[in-house]
Amino acid sequence: MQTGSMAYGRHRESAAWDYFHYVEECDESECLVLLDFNGGQQKCGARIKGKNATNLKAHLEQHPSVCHEMTEKERARIVEKDERETSRPKRKEAHAVSRHPEQPLYPPGSLRKHELNRKLALLMAVANVPKSFVDLEEFHDFVRELDPRYEVACCSAIAAEQERLLQVVKEEGSKALAVAERIAITTDIWSKKSLTESFLGMTAHFFSMDKQRIQSITLAVRKFPPPHTAARVLDVFVGVLREWNIAASKVCPVMTDNGSNLVAAFKDSKQLMAETARAELKLKTKSDQRAASERETESQRESSDEAEMEASSSEENVDSSNDSDAMNDAVSGNISLDVSDFDKHECDHDCIFIGDFKRISCFSHTLQCVVRQLFNGHQKIFGSAIGAAHKLVTKFNSSGNATVRLIELSNKKLIADCPTRWSSTYILVARLLELRSHVKTVCAEKKWANLHQAEYQVLEDYSELLEPFAKYTGLLSAEAEPTFSCVIPALMDLQIHLNSVRTIKAHLIPVCDTAIAGLAKRFDRFMTPTSVNFEPIFLAATFLDPRYRILLKGEQATAAKRAIAAEEGQAMPDSSEPSFQVPEPEPSTKRFRHLSTLISEMARAEADSANAILSPMQMELDRYEKARPFLKEDGDLIAFWLHQRSSYPLLSRYALNLCAVPASTTPAERVFSVCGDICARKRNKAGGQGLERKVLIALNKQFLSC
């Protein structure tokens, strides 16, 4: 019995492939063993589905001599492989041999080695390098050329060094946060592209009086498995504050998007935490009661068995009853003690960490909700043209020749939209209109159908209408410069823009009306003091920005001043509520009987205004309003208030703290972008504490002195 030739294709480890040939067309492996048949030889020809070596070996058992021969071949290959591995010098041995004998390695406790390990760990975290990088022979050769005495640390040593770096980051970051007067927090939830893990990200922003600039700290990228309920969001949020020693009284505001769970988490934090604590306590009590009942049942069962064995059931029943009562009393006492302890710790917890966190919706996200509502409500106007633009851009981006030709003509390419990116559709339309002539040329060369003139006209209307929305979304997503005071001016400018378009283009009147109504619905509580749930913090920020203070009307300026004074614990007098009692006027006998009451009220208000004692903050506010300081629109707001600290010591501190508040959750989104880069492609399993450690080191490296 002989064997056929070796199968074609790539080399396979198993010796069974010496006797088979894989037929790719039908996904079968054909046996090549030659059998003696009628004085000649004939190929076995049996076909095994697939190319699993175990199935091939099972078939060869029908040919005992060939099966024995294959087994011997595999043994020989294993021995040869082991000898080859043994003869090959190990990586560290090879490096030791090649190292100059007069240059010994740094000892384990060497400060130089520790410093090099630290810098390597920091480099790998910041540059997003996997830990396996330290195993590359080429990297070892490179390091040996730089410093022959340094032996590269292993993966576990790098991970341990990165953990120490993270502790330094947290210690130094906590010190910076401890001296901050006011801390703004942004938070959001992100899921990996494969949806295998979710994370809750948090960033902190404050003004450093020592360094005289805005500082940002990435607090957490915490693994956050479902369910993503409001109670769990708040629980993780408070836990991160505890890790960084941030007092809840300093946190103002918390910036989130409009997700229902994030809104509910901070709507009434005290009530939510109390409800969660009660639910946990109820569950714990039920568990303790269930355990007590099981112990009681077991005790009764044992007592009954003993009674039957000793034939003294009556006495044992009495003892068992007494024991059971004692046990119940003990269990009840333990439960009461647990409840008392839990209530005590809950009160301590509330005093330290829990406050009514002031949550504010992300401006950019809310503005994009208005844009989405505008587009969905007017599909008849924009839907057809936007759909055609989508198809054309997709066709270009799917064709390498068309894209290359377009780049040759314009040095740019068309941009596809992304549902999770703000202003995505506007960016697509704007780039298509920018390259309109070049797109026409490429379509003519490739004989593709281009958009009609009417469709391009609709796209121009769409671009003109939404250009300010995209502009302010990007403008107010900045992190290193003040943006909070620009929210009110941006909203006012959008209203003027929409009214202008409404006047010029009659066919867009319904669209503009929808946009104006959407802005009023979502932002009126920030601009109108008489609106329900009025939130004056944006007006306060605008009032303290000399570039835009003049935009505020009388009642808006008054509301802003009251908010500033209230934040500092200095309540301003309200003319509608007098601070002292004025005797009621006696019944008048004059002819203008009703005017006498009005005259009395106006006199009382005038007396309140004349006799009111102004606080230091109120006096600074009045001086600031009367001085009307000027700052160019492109001026530096932080530099302005630093220069005014001697004139307005209280007001300047409050204004500088407001400068650090971001207008959107973009800082948290940027953290997730870093996470996405780390988890990309072959590293999609990166996650958990390892991911958080790398991100926190990379984004907080300013706290590392190396």
Side-chain angles (χ1 to χ4, degrees):
M1 190 181 300
Q2 300 178 4
T3 61
S5 60
M6 195 171 184
Y8 294 104
R10 67 180 179 86
H11 174 72
R12 305 181 191 277
E13 291 290 336
S14 176
W17 285 105
D18 293 348
Y19 310 94
F20 281 89
H21 169 68
Y22 177 66
V23 183
E24 187 175 359
E25 291 77 9
C26 56
D27 189 25
E28 292 179 343
S29 300
E30 181 181 10
C31 181
L32 304 178
V33 175
L34 298 180
L35 305 176
D36 296 330
F37 184 76
N38 293 335
Q41 290 183 332
Q42 181 178 350
K43 185 172 63 174
C44 174
R47 293 202 171 194
I48 310 299
K49 188 67 176 176
K51 46 185 177 180
N52 188 288
T54 303
N55 296 337
L56 305 185
K57 293 177 183 178
H59 171 74
L60 290 180
E61 292 178 357
Q62 300 177 17
H63 311 299
S65 60
V66 176
C67 183
H68 177 72
E69 180 182 347
M70 178 206 61
T71 304
E72 292 299 325
K73 283 185 178 181
E74 289 208 330
R75 288 177 181 173
R77 289 183 181 181
I78 293 173
V79 172
E80 181 184 356
K81 184 177 180 181
D82 290 343
E83 291 177 352
R84 189 167 58 250
E85 292 292 335
T86 304
S87 62
R88 180 186 301 170
K90 295 182 179 180
R91 174 172 59 82
K92 292 186 179 180
E93 292 175 353
H95 294 163
V97 171
S98 62
R99 197 180 301 274
H100 198 279
E102 296 180 359
Q103 294 178 322
L105 296 174
Y106 290 118
S110 170
L111 293 177
R112 175 63 176 168
K113 181 175 181 178
H114 172 71
E115 186 66 18
L116 290 175
N117 286 344
R118 189 169 185 265
K119 288 184 177 295
L120 178 59
L122 176 61
L123 170 67
M124 295 179 66
V126 173
N128 186 20
V129 178
K131 290 184 292 184
S132 59
F133 180 75
V134 298
D135 292 331
L136 293 177
E137 295 286 349
E138 294 77 9
F139 178 66
H140 281 263
D141 294 338
F142 174 74
V143 172
R144 188 164 57 252
E145 290 296 326
L146 295 177
D147 189 347
R149 300 188 61 191
Y150 175 60
E151 184 179 23
V152 177
C154 62
C155 294
S156 58
I158 292 296
E161 194 62 46
Q162 288 181 347
E163 187 63 33
R164 285 190 284 271
L165 288 175
L166 179 60
Q167 294 305 317
V168 174
V169 165
K170 288 191 173 182
E171 290 174 4
E172 297 300 320
S174 297
K175 292 178 182 178
L177 291 166
V179 298
E181 298 178 358
R182 184 179 188 138
I183 302 172
I185 305 289
T186 69
T187 184
D188 202 356
I189 299 174
W190 171 77
S191 296
K192 293 168 67 174
K193 191 172 183 179
S194 57
L195 301 180
T196 54
E197 285 183 305
S198 297
F199 298 86
L200 185 132
M202 290 176 58
T203 64
H205 309 269
F206 58 95
F207 189 85
S208 173
M209 297 297 176
D210 296 334
K211 298 183 178 181
Q212 298 186 357
R213 62 181 178 86
I214 298 173
Q215 278 195 284
S216 300
I217 300 178
T218 302
L219 300 179
V221 186
R222 192 60 45 85
K223 186 176 179 180
F224 191 49
H228 301 157
T229 60
R232 295 195 66 242
V233 169
L234 186 60
D235 184 55
V236 175
F237 181 88
V238 172
V240 173
L241 295 186
R242 184 184 297 111
E243 289 179 13
W244 291 83
N245 298 321
I246 300 176
S249 57
K250 287 187 176 182
V251 177
C252 184
V254 178
M255 189 73 64
T256 75
D257 61 17
N258 297 304
S260 58
N261 53 347
L262 292 172
V263 172
F266 301 101
K267 188 174 183 180
D268 191 344
S269 55
K270 283 186 176 180
Q271 180 179 355
L272 185 59
M273 289 296 291
E275 291 176 356
T276 304
R278 284 196 295 269
E280 292 177 352
L281 179 61
K282 185 177 181 181
L283 183 63
K284 181 179 182 299
T285 303
K286 286 184 177 180
S287 177
D288 291 344
Q289 290 177 347
R290 189 181 301 109
S293 177
E294 291 175 356
R295 290 196 296 268
E296 181 181 356
T297 303
E298 184 66 23
S299 176
Q300 291 177 351
R301 188 181 298 112
E302 291 176 358
S303 298
S304 178
D305 292 342
E306 291 175 0
E308 292 179 0
M309 291 175 61
E310 298 179 5
S312 55
S313 58
S314 59
E315 295 179 2
E316 293 297 334
N317 286 337
V318 172
D319 294 339
S320 176
S321 176
N322 293 336
D323 292 342
S324 178
D325 292 341
M327 183 184 301
N328 287 335
D329 293 341
V331 171
S332 299
N334 290 335
I335 292 176
S336 300
L337 182 60
D338 290 340
V339 172
S340 176
D341 291 343
F342 186 86
D343 289 341
K344 177 181 180 297
H345 291 303
E346 184 185 21
C347 292
D348 295 340
H349 183 75
D350 284 346
C351 293
I352 298 174
F353 294 108
I354 300 303
D356 287 328
F357 295 113
K358 180 181 289 185
R359 190 201 74 88
I360 295 180
S361 295
C362 167
F363 172 80
S364 299
H365 184 268
T366 307
L367 194 63
Q368 291 301 309
C369 289
V370 175
V371 174
R372 191 179 304 113
Q373 179 185 5
L374 182 151
F375 179 75
N376 293 337
H378 297 279
Q379 287 281 353
K380 293 182 179 180
I381 298 177
F382 300 116
S384 177
I386 296 294
H390 272 283
K391 292 181 180 179
L392 183 61
V393 171
T394 303
K395 194 171 186 178
F396 263 81
N397 290 341
S398 301
S399 172
N401 293 334
T403 301
V404 170
R405 179 59 177 152
L406 189 61
I407 293 176
E408 291 176 354
L409 294 172
S410 63
N411 201 28
K412 294 181 180 180
K413 67 184 293 290
L414 296 178
I415 302 176
D417 67 340
C418 174
T420 58
R421 189 175 65 212
W422 293 333
S423 306
S424 176
T425 304
Y426 166 78
I427 294 173
L428 179 148
V429 172
R431 177 57 63 87
L432 179 59
L433 291 174
E434 180 185 357
L435 305 182
R436 178 176 177 178
S437 60
H438 303 300
V439 169
K440 181 179 179 181
T441 301
V442 176
C443 287
E445 292 176 356
K446 299 186 71 67
K447 298 181 180 180
W448 287 353
N450 195 3
L451 299 185
H452 300 297
Q453 179 63 30
E455 291 174 326
Y456 273 116
Q457 184 60 49
V458 173
L459 294 181
E460 288 177 356
D461 291 341
Y462 181 88
S463 177
E464 180 183 356
L465 183 67
L466 295 185
E467 187 270 335
F469 287 85
K471 175 183 176 181
Y472 297 138
T473 297
L475 175 67
L476 297 180
S477 295
E479 186 175 351
E481 60 184 32
T483 57
F484 208 63
S485 61
C486 299
V487 170
I488 298 298
L491 293 173
M492 291 181 175
D493 194 72
L494 285 173
Q495 290 177 342
I496 295 173
H497 164 71
L498 292 172
N499 287 323
S500 176
V501 174
R502 191 178 186 277
T503 303
I504 298 173
K505 299 186 176 183
H507 62 285
L508 293 180
I509 289 179
V511 181
C512 294
D513 289 343
T514 301
I516 292 173
L519 290 174
K521 176 183 177 182
R522 296 180 182 274
F523 294 105
D524 190 58
R525 73 186 190 94
F526 299 127
M527 300 182 66
T528 308
T530 57
S531 64
V532 181
N533 299 324
F534 171 62
E535 175 54 62
I537 190 169
F538 286 108
L539 289 178
T542 305
F543 182 82
L544 295 177
D545 190 334
R547 299 171 297 179
Y548 310 117
R549 181 194 59 80
I550 197 171
L551 295 175
L552 301 185
K553 301 177 182 178
E555 58 180 8
Q556 291 177 325
T558 302
K561 289 193 293 183
R562 285 180 183 159
I564 296 169
E567 288 288 340
E568 293 296 319
Q570 305 282 352
M572 292 189 67
D574 190 340
S575 59
S576 61
E577 297 180 3
S579 57
F580 61 94
Q581 296 293 328
V582 175
E584 292 293 332
E586 298 179 0
S588 176
T589 57
K590 298 180 179 180
R591 72 175 61 173
F592 300 113
R593 178 169 54 91
H594 298 289
L595 285 181
S596 61
T597 303
L598 179 60
I599 293 172
S600 176
E601 292 177 355
M602 294 180 68
R604 180 166 47 203
E606 188 177 33
D608 291 343
S609 178
N611 298 330
I613 300 176
L614 297 179
S615 67
M617 173 64 82
Q618 294 167 4
M619 288 189 289
E620 288 188 16
L621 282 169
D622 287 346
R623 281 193 290 109
Y624 169 76
E625 189 174 21
K626 292 176 181 178
R628 298 180 181 179
F630 175 76
L631 181 65
K632 293 182 179 180
E633 191 169 3
D634 59 348
D636 189 339
L637 182 61
I638 293 178
F640 168 83
W641 279 112
L642 288 174
H643 181 70
Q644 297 290 335
R645 281 189 299 179
S646 58
S647 302
Y648 308 100
L650 298 178
L651 199 59
S652 61
R653 298 184 74 88
Y654 181 78
L656 290 171
N657 286 326
L658 272 185
C659 286
V661 180
S664 70
T665 58
T666 306
E669 301 289 347
R670 292 193 178 102
V671 172
F672 295 148
S673 295
V674 176
C675 295
D677 292 339
I678 294 176
C679 301
R681 298 183 181 275
K682 293 184 179 180
R683 301 177 62 192
N684 60 355
K685 290 187 178 180
Q689 294 181 352
L691 176 63
E692 184 177 51
R693 180 171 60 240
K694 275 196 168 186
V695 173
L696 264 59
I697 292 174
L699 298 181
N700 297 322
K701 60 183 179 181
Q702 69 270 21
F703 295 109
L704 299 172
S705 58
C706 61

